[in-house]
Structure formats: structure tokens, C-alpha cells
Amino acid sequence: MGLFDKIISMASGSLSADSGQGGMLDQVLNIINNPSIGGIPGLISKFQNGGLGDVVSSWIGTGENQPVSGDQITNTLGADKIKEIASSLGVSDADAADGLASVLPQLIDKLTPEGQLPEGNALEQGLSSLVQKFFKG
């Protein structure tokens, strides 16, 4: 099983029935692909700037991932972004934040093999592959 097959499997297992197939993963990819975020490096920076540097470093590192709470996700991404995601998924703000808290550590962990981000094009190709495999009809 390749890296992105593992990501797809992990993300599929983390989705709740209420969010619909691909719903939470789609929202995570929207966050990552948002130009104002700056991709995975920008998202990591947001967590570091929000006082969660040790937490996000554990996701990137090769050891065990430290958990993050829905409240910490809301504080990092902003309440407006969480409301937008919750509305899109048809769930409460708390459920959206908790879902992101479950998926983001795993996704970042899988996208950072050997404790570092893949180089630019490799990361983009990996995310593209993830989308194609997960959302193929």
C-alpha cells in the first residue's frame, strides 16, 4: 500500500456518516489549497504561530502524534473558517472542529514521511493523487 493509499484509508476511516463521503477530507484539502494559507508549510506555520509548535512538530516528526483539540483548531484557523466548514458539512461548529482535530494530525503525519515535508512538486503531486484516488467516480 502506497503512502497516498494509506492517507485515503486513514481519511476515510475518520469521516463521520454525517459529513458525507469525502466531506471532511475535501474541507481539509480546501484549507491546504487556500492561497491565503500557503499550503502545508503555511498551515504548519499557523499552528506554530498559535503556540502549538510542539504539537505540530510531533505530527511532522517520526514519533507519536500529539493530539489537538477542536478548540485549538478553532483558535488556529478562526471561528469563521470553522463555521464555514460546519455549514458546508451540515454539522455543528464543534463537530467540524473535532473532525479537523482528528484528520489534520494524521494527514500531516502521512504527508511528512521521515519527518520532513516533501519538496514542492512532490507534495503537490501527492495531494493531486490523493484527490484523484479519493474522489474518482
Side-chain angles (χ1 to χ4, degrees):
M1 181 180 279
L3 170 66
F4 294 100
D5 292 327
K6 289 179 186 177
I7 294 170
I8 291 166
S9 174
M10 170 275 306
S12 297
S14 296
L15 298 173
S16 71
D18 293 336
S19 68
Q21 182 179 13
M24 184 58 72
L25 181 58
D26 187 36
Q27 294 303 313
V28 170
L29 293 174
N30 286 339
I31 292 168
I32 292 169
N33 290 321
N34 183 332
S36 69
I37 296 288
I40 296 280
L43 185 60
I44 290 168
S45 180
K46 281 185 90 56
F47 280 95
Q48 290 169 335
N49 293 337
L52 297 172
D54 289 343
V55 173
V56 78
S57 290
S58 76
W59 305 346
I60 297 167
T62 56
E64 187 174 332
N65 292 338
Q66 291 182 24
V68 64
S69 71
D71 287 340
Q72 289 170 311
I73 293 288
T74 300
N75 290 338
T76 301
L77 298 178
D80 289 343
K81 185 64 177 170
I82 298 302
K83 283 185 187 302
E84 177 185 321
I85 291 169
S87 176
S88 171
L89 295 174
V91 298
S92 71
D93 293 1
D95 286 345
D98 289 344
L100 288 170
S102 174
V103 172
L104 272 174
Q106 297 175 62
L107 183 66
I108 291 174
D109 180 62
K110 299 299 183 202
L111 288 173
T112 55
E114 300 178 25
Q116 57 189 1
L117 283 173
E119 295 299 319
N121 285 345
L123 182 59
E124 289 176 22
Q125 290 171 355
L127 284 172
S128 176
S129 174
L130 170 65
V131 170
Q132 289 174 1
K133 287 181 183 181
F134 193 77
F135 295 107
K136 66 182 176 184

